[in-house]
Amino acid sequence: MMKLPLALAALTLAAAPALAQNVVRLGSEGAYPPYNFINDANQLDGFERELGDALCERAQLTCEWVITDWDSIIPNLTAGNFDAILAGMNITDERRQVISFSDAYTPPAASSYAALEEDADIENGVVAVQVSTVQASYVAQTGATLLEFATPDETVAAVRNGEADAVFADRDFLVPIVEESGGEFVFVGEDVQLGEGIGIGLRQSDEELRETFNTAIASMKEDGTLNEMIIKWFGPNALTFD
Amino acid sequence: MFSFCTDPATLPDWQWFACYLTSGTHLAFYWSFGVVLLLIALAAPSALLFGFGGALAARSHVAPVRVLGKTYIAMVRGVPDIIFFLFVPIAIDQGLEYLMHHIRCPDWTQPVRRGAEFAVCAQAKVPLSNAPAWVHDIYSFGLALVAFALVFGAFAANTLYGAMRTVPRAQLETAEAYGMSRRQVVRRILLPQMWIYALPGLSNLWMILIKATPLLFLLGIRDIVYWARELGGSKTSIYAYPHGDWRLWYFLAVLVFYLLLTWVSERVFERLMRRLSRGQATAAGERLRRAAA
């Protein structure tokens, strides 16, 4: 049985004579609509799918998408299982200690609380967040009780079930949920600005790839295609670049 | 799937469900049942093989082999399964890449481990980054399989080791008295008879193996538990088939699947037990003999 990986390795090596074209593997979560999600045809879809494909086209890279758990997305990057993260990851100093980031491809995004009642206690109540997010670190510093979940969907379900008083997440993720809940969900309290915008997560040693993506992002900002994409996926009220 | 599925929002209920249950993600969900069955089908014989090797090594007359066998059994049995499931695939993967790195990029000057990073040259990636997605899938499945075989092999080794010692000593001595060599005694007397003693333990292991398959999810393989959670979660209108929180129903389906699988297994093991008891010097064997007489 131990021979299996070796045999497979030999097979893959034999199948690829030379690295004629380097493939850049892009990691995403596939569970954070409208940033990234698996659509009903079992394809990765969303803002970051479209953006990533456009960036790769501009940079003339061959890219391939890999879906992985949010939990293990940074370890998988540093272990070399893929080369870049496009998964709605906010640029923060804490993450900068482990990985590096491209320039932001969204303006600093607002995070919001959503709850079943207008007067939900977001200050001292139970607040559901996704694990290892900027929102999780933020709630940990408030007086609220932190309730962490592995996936974004579970944080919303926790509020529906009454397990948590409110959910705290990127506003762009919550907007469709609140709007389509038919009045069940409401936004509570003030929006909070967290992070420096969303960027591509890269290995610190991959300077070259960072530069490549930065150039592509800059050109998309310049000709307005990035703003168009933001409005297409997050609606006309979304924050755009000047 | 069906021709009427182009605009799901306008469909009556039964058609909506027909389309919903045959969407691309659902087909992947159904496929993942096959992946789980395949894992069980491959992991069980591999674990048995590991177990057999471990048991034979543990009762070997050569001291180093015996120590190796006993260490394997003690080590894997003494460490929580989850640790092993997390450790083995990463260790094998990085070990392979490290090896390939030294073979393929001998001129590489930078260290492989840089802070948190594990960076080998592009030619040493296993599988190569330009390999098609299915190669990556098979590779990670292979790593998971090795982890399952290693862990369950150790338990099987202990069961088989015990079973080998339970075969009545008198039988082996009789064989020796007939002039059989030690190898012949093992092959002709010991191995055919030990199964009846090993079976209760092995059937337990089989059940545990079935129940351990959701660990695949932990290894990043999109198994039935992943899909149940993913598909059951509430969906906004960005999806073609928006719905509320249906996780209960999806987990219920997975639960029924596992119950069915273990139920069928129990039946099979019962029959196997009866079969192997025939002519054995055990209570069950004796009952069979009396019933026939």
Side-chain angles (χ1 to χ4, degrees):
Chain A
M1 252 10 265
M2 294 299 288
K3 286 205 177 118
L4 186 68
L6 273 175
L8 271 172
L11 186 101
T12 53
L13 294 173
L19 288 170
Q21 206 165 26
N22 244 326
V23 174
V24 176
R25 289 163 62 79
L26 308 175
S28 195
E29 185 195 12
Y32 203 50
Y35 287 93
N36 56 76
F37 62 99
I38 311 277
N39 67 18
D40 294 275
N42 197 17
Q43 296 292 320
L44 185 70
D45 202 341
F47 168 66
E48 277 158 339
R49 170 70 201 257
E50 200 180 324
L51 175 75
D53 287 347
L55 289 175
C56 289
E57 202 187 313
R58 279 182 195 233
Q60 296 184 325
L61 298 169
T62 317
C63 293
E64 208 167 293
W65 289 92
V66 186
I67 312 293
T68 194
D69 276 356
W70 172 257
D71 248 5
S72 56
I73 206 161
I74 288 182
N76 268 322
L77 175 77
T78 54
N81 292 344
F82 42 76
D83 307 302
I85 299 173
L86 280 97
M89 187 179 276
N90 272 290
I91 303 171
T92 63
D93 282 331
E94 203 183 340
R95 287 184 179 133
R96 261 208 204 95
Q97 292 174 358
V98 190
I99 59 176
S100 77
F101 283 99
S102 73
D103 295 337
Y105 55 75
T106 69
S111 299
S112 309
Y113 290 93
L116 299 181
E117 285 141 17
E118 205 85 52
D119 56 352
D121 187 3
I122 55 173
E123 248 131 69
N124 299 304
V126 179
V127 177
V129 293
Q130 188 179 14
V131 69
S132 316
T133 55
V134 283
Q135 288 84 15
S137 339
Y138 177 80
V139 172
Q141 287 162 12
T142 68
T145 306
L146 183 69
L147 190 57
E148 291 181 301
F149 291 93
T151 63
D153 176 64
E154 285 168 305
T155 61
V156 179
V159 180
R160 278 213 177 91
N161 301 340
E163 220 180 317
D165 297 318
V167 47
F168 186 53
D170 278 313
R171 188 176 177 87
D172 290 327
F173 165 73
L174 290 173
V175 164
I177 293 168
V178 171
E179 278 175 1
E180 289 174 26
S181 67
E184 188 191 6
F185 271 100
V186 283
F187 281 115
V188 182
E190 298 281 303
D191 284 356
V192 189
Q193 293 286 341
L194 296 175
E196 305 161 29
I198 291 169
I200 303 176
L202 299 148
R203 277 185 297 274
Q204 285 170 342
S205 55
D206 264 355
E207 278 299 316
E208 205 181 319
L209 191 59
R210 201 165 78 98
E211 287 311 310
T212 313
F213 274 128
N214 277 347
T215 316
I217 291 172
S219 86
M220 285 190 71
K221 279 180 185 166
E222 207 161 290
D223 63 16
T225 43
L226 184 54
N227 281 345
E228 277 170 34
M229 224 177 256
I230 291 174
I231 287 169
K232 173 185 167 191
W233 286 101
F234 303 117
N237 298 330
L239 296 170
T240 54
F241 290 100
D242 304 323
Chain B
M1 192 77 173
F2 304 109
S3 55
F4 51 78
C5 290
T6 40
D7 189 8
T10 60
L11 290 175
D13 271 359
W14 72 270
Q15 282 184 330
W16 189 92
F17 271 103
C19 295
Y20 174 68
L21 292 173
T22 53
S23 68
T25 38
H26 275 84
L27 296 182
F29 178 46
Y30 306 142
W31 170 251
S32 66
F33 283 91
V35 172
V36 168
L37 291 176
L38 184 72
L39 179 90
I40 297 172
L42 292 176
S46 340
L48 206 56
L49 215 67
F50 269 58
F52 217 73
L56 285 180
R59 65 193 303 283
S60 166
H61 291 274
V62 187
V65 179
R66 191 170 58 236
V67 169
L68 199 76
K70 290 203 163 169
T71 314
Y72 166 55
I73 295 176
M75 201 171 78
V76 181
R77 274 166 42 98
V79 174
D81 292 358
I82 291 189
I83 307 280
F84 251 89
F85 283 111
L86 291 173
F87 171 77
V88 171
I90 295 179
I92 293 178
D93 184 44
Q94 299 202 344
L96 275 178
E97 291 195 343
Y98 191 75
L99 200 73
M100 296 302 294
H101 181 74
H102 280 275
I103 297 170
R104 301 205 140 214
C105 309
D107 313 325
W108 198 265
T109 50
Q110 285 158 312
V112 170
R113 287 208 173 275
R114 265 172 281 170
E117 289 178 27
F118 179 83
V120 293
C121 64
Q123 294 92 323
K125 284 261 157 76
V126 184
L128 287 174
S129 56
N130 57 0
W134 62 266
V135 175
H136 285 275
D137 288 347
I138 291 183
Y139 178 70
S140 48
F141 182 82
L143 289 181
L145 186 57
V146 172
F148 270 91
L150 259 179
V151 170
F152 284 89
F155 287 101
N158 207 44
T159 306
L160 293 176
Y161 179 71
M164 285 177 189
R165 290 168 58 120
T166 319
V167 174
R169 180 90 199 110
Q171 301 241 3
L172 307 183
E173 278 170 8
T174 311
E176 274 165 27
Y178 270 94
M180 290 189 202
S181 70
R182 194 179 270 156
R183 267 164 174 254
Q184 283 174 323
V185 173
V186 169
R187 217 176 49 236
R188 294 182 184 170
I189 311 296
L190 183 69
L191 294 188
Q193 294 204 76
M194 67 159 207
W195 291 109
I196 187 66
Y197 302 106
L199 205 59
L202 290 181
S203 74
N204 257 342
L205 264 185
W206 169 265
M207 295 293 179
I208 299 173
L209 173 67
I210 292 178
K211 296 202 295 176
T213 49
L215 284 171
L216 276 178
F217 174 58
L218 204 72
L219 300 177
I221 293 168
R222 293 200 260 164
D223 75 332
I224 42 184
V225 180
Y226 166 86
W227 281 116
R229 194 175 70 169
E230 165 69 26
L231 294 170
S234 52
K235 299 275 180 282
T236 57
S237 63
I238 203 165
Y239 295 89
Y241 304 94
H243 59 74
D245 187 352
W246 287 357
R247 284 178 302 171
L248 191 67
W249 307 113
Y250 280 90
F251 284 129
L252 195 66
V254 171
L255 190 142
V256 169
F257 166 74
Y258 276 112
L259 264 182
L260 271 178
L261 201 58
T262 46
W263 183 77
V264 170
S265 309
E266 294 242 29
R267 296 284 95 73
V268 172
F269 273 112
E270 259 169 37
R271 299 191 86 172
L272 205 63
M273 194 73 189
R274 207 163 334 138
R275 180 116 198 218
L276 289 176
S277 294
R278 214 175 284 160
Q280 291 285 344
T282 60
E286 182 63 17
R287 262 202 306 281
L288 280 176
R289 197 185 62 77
R290 287 216 181 131

